[in-house]
Amino acid sequence: MNLDGLTVDGLHRSFEEQGYICEKNLAVTVFLALKLNKPLLVEGAPGVGKTEIAKVLSRVFDAELIRLQCYEGLDENKALYEWNYQKQLLRIQMQKENIGYEIKERDLFSDEYLLERPLLKAIRSEKPVVLLIDEVDKVEDEFEAFLFEVLSDFQVSIPELGTIAARQIPIVVLTSNRERELSDGLKRRCVYLFIDYPTIEKEVRILKVKAPEAGERLSREVARAVNLIRSNKAVGKKPAISESIDWARALVALGAGSLSREAVMQTLNIVLKNKDDIDTVVREVGAEALAAYAQKHEN
């Protein structure tokens, strides 16, 4: 991927033009990962905008986004490649029936029978791609170690075909919700970035971009209310940015010009997706107090 002429300011501006509001420090880290040809490892709580970085990069560089969604039990076959066994068996059957020509073993393990999975697709792509390895903290240690070759050398090994090097060095973004500590080996291969929940001011800016119909006042009230909810340690699942956006849109849909007590009671389930958390906020903060807090700071 041609990164000639890329600057931190230019990248920061491109992110914001794509609707991704971020501090300049984030742009600096992403810039360095791109310039050093190293994967970007992004850690943070769910819903703070980690995955969105890969999506934005694919748009900024007009590159295809290839996503590997990680989960417990993910293995090399699902991530790298599989052989099309049905097609191989059909070919063997044709040989037995003397319909086709003689088949050699190497013919059965060729490109014709190879099913690309995300990692191999990214490595073999002729065009620039962004490879998103999402929620890498969910895989086992063995799979994490398997990723080392891809992340450090941008190549993969297939026993029947040998080593396949990347035709284009992909932009690689890994995300982690920090459900477990990642290995030093993986971290060493990456440029590290941590994203925290946004400040009130930053969340207001995000809402202005993602839910402009909410307007300045309602956006600020939502941002303050969400900030207060997140600060409550008894809330198990903190609201994501996307849930703040949904809350603002929901309030607009109801014609609510301000976050009143009634509006809070009617829509708290939009921003909190767990009954225990809703009960906690109602009991420990109270809908009236939450609304008053959001509005009080308007002055």
Side-chain angles (χ1 to χ4, degrees):
M1 191 169 292
N2 186 6
L3 301 177
D4 292 345
L6 182 68
T7 64
V8 172
D9 288 339
L11 186 64
H12 188 208
R13 190 164 52 250
S14 295
F15 266 55
E16 300 232 340
E17 287 172 353
Q18 292 295 328
Y20 191 88
I21 306 302
C22 61
E23 301 81 3
K24 191 169 181 180
N25 282 347
L26 184 147
V28 171
T29 303
V30 176
F31 172 83
L32 291 175
L34 295 173
K35 282 293 187 181
L36 296 175
N37 273 339
K38 291 176 77 73
L40 177 69
L41 170 60
V42 191
E43 283 198 326
V48 295
K50 304 185 298 295
T51 300
E52 192 64 20
I53 289 180
K55 295 178 181 178
V56 170
L57 284 171
S58 73
R59 295 197 294 269
V60 168
F61 293 104
D62 192 23
E64 180 185 2
L65 177 67
I66 298 176
R67 181 173 187 161
L68 174 62
Q69 180 62 54
C70 297
Y71 54 87
E72 188 177 349
L74 178 64
D75 59 25
E76 295 179 27
N77 287 342
K78 293 290 188 299
L80 185 57
Y81 74 97
E82 289 182 277
W83 292 110
N84 189 334
Y85 294 119
Q86 288 184 330
K87 193 172 180 180
Q88 287 174 323
L89 288 172
L90 182 62
R91 189 71 176 270
I92 293 170
Q93 187 65 31
M94 289 172 64
Q95 180 189 12
K96 287 181 178 178
E97 294 173 358
N98 295 320
I99 296 175
Y101 52 83
E102 182 180 356
I103 302 174
K104 297 178 181 178
E105 183 176 343
R106 65 172 181 272
D107 295 330
L108 292 173
F109 294 96
S110 60
D111 263 4
E112 185 179 354
Y113 302 93
L114 191 64
L115 298 175
E116 289 182 340
R117 298 309 181 206
L119 293 182
L120 184 59
K121 185 178 179 183
I123 290 293
R124 300 213 309 174
S125 176
E126 297 282 359
K127 298 180 179 178
V129 300
V130 175
L131 172 62
L132 168 62
I133 303 177
D134 211 8
E135 300 184 344
V136 69
D137 51 323
K138 289 185 175 177
V139 301
E140 286 80 8
D141 294 344
E142 294 76 12
F143 186 82
E144 192 181 310
F146 158 74
L147 288 174
F148 288 176
E149 185 180 17
V150 178
L151 300 180
S152 59
D153 300 326
F154 296 104
Q155 65 180 30
V156 295
S157 299
I158 297 177
E160 298 87 353
L161 301 178
T163 299
I164 300 174
R167 294 167 177 167
Q168 297 255 0
I169 301 296
I171 294 174
V172 183
V173 178
L174 301 95
T175 72
S176 167
N177 293 330
R178 307 178 78 193
E179 290 186 3
R180 69 171 178 83
E181 185 71 17
L182 300 175
S183 71
D184 290 341
L186 187 138
K187 290 181 177 177
R188 199 162 48 244
R189 288 165 168 81
C190 301
V191 172
Y192 179 78
L193 173 66
F194 177 79
I195 302 181
D196 206 347
Y197 286 113
T199 63
I200 292 173
E201 290 304 319
K202 180 179 175 181
E203 194 142 26
V204 170
R205 290 186 64 205
I206 293 171
L207 289 172
K208 284 181 178 177
V209 171
K210 300 295 185 181
E213 64 275 22
E216 171 77 25
R217 176 181 174 180
L218 189 57
S219 295
R220 188 165 294 278
E221 290 183 6
V222 168
R224 289 193 178 281
V226 170
N227 183 267
L228 182 62
I229 292 171
R230 286 181 186 140
S231 68
N232 191 314
K233 294 181 179 177
V235 173
K237 185 182 180 305
K238 313 294 185 189
I241 294 172
S242 63
E243 284 150 358
S244 297
I245 297 168
D246 287 344
W247 200 11
R249 289 173 174 166
L251 291 164
V252 171
L254 291 174
S258 181
L259 198 56
S260 63
R261 176 190 178 282
E262 182 184 15
V264 169
M265 291 304 295
Q266 289 176 334
T267 59
L268 201 53
N269 61 320
I270 301 296
V271 73
L272 291 169
K273 303 299 176 64
N274 180 299
K275 185 178 184 307
D276 290 341
D277 286 341
I278 293 174
D279 291 343
T280 296
V281 171
V282 172
R283 182 179 63 252
E284 296 195 5
V285 182
E288 188 167 349
L290 184 61
Y293 175 83
Q295 295 179 27
K296 180 181 177 182
H297 294 269
E298 279 299 290
N299 298 322

